[in-house]
Amino acid sequence: MYSIHWSTLAELTFADEVDFILKKWNQKEVDNFVFLVEDYLKHLSSNPFFGINFSNPTIYYFVISKQTTLYYKISEVELKIDLILFWNNKKNPKLLDKYFNQ
């Protein structure tokens, strides 16, 4: 099993997604989203290569829902998954590039 660590950016972007869902829909949809994320993270801890390789050998992503994608980094040596950020798929993809091309 891999341990899962949340970066500050992951925490902030997760909170942004929760706020977005709450403003657009309701608390029930927020609860569904949180449950979905928790479920994916359980699967991810036992199978970190579940996602699709993104830009280099250690960064992966998977679509959590129609509007949200999670980006993460794998450390096989430390058996650790670092959550990088939750991305709202409706945002301009050029904005996403700034997180990975710095």
Side-chain angles (χ1 to χ4, degrees), residues 3-4 14-15 28 37-38 40 58 69 72 94-95 97 102:
S3 60
I4 296 189
F14 177 77
K28 181 181 176 189
V37 169
E38 289 172 352
Y40 271 111
T58 61
T69 298
Y72 62 98
K94 290 181 182 179
L95 297 174
D97 289 342
Q102 296 181 23

Side-chain angles (χ1 to χ4, degrees), residues 6 13 15 18 31 38 41-44 58 61 65 67 69 75 81-82 88:
W6 290 65
T13 54
V18 167
D31 294 343
E38 289 172 352
L41 294 180
K42 284 180 201 171
H43 291 295
L44 191 61
T58 61
Y61 72 93
S65 66
Q67 69 271 3
T69 298
S75 171
I81 297 167
D82 291 310
N88 185 310

Side-chain angles (χ1 to χ4, degrees), residues 26-38:
N26 56 43
Q27 185 61 46
K28 181 181 176 189
E29 294 304 318
V30 168
D31 294 343
N32 289 341
F33 176 72
V34 170
F35 176 77
L36 191 60
V37 169
E38 289 172 352

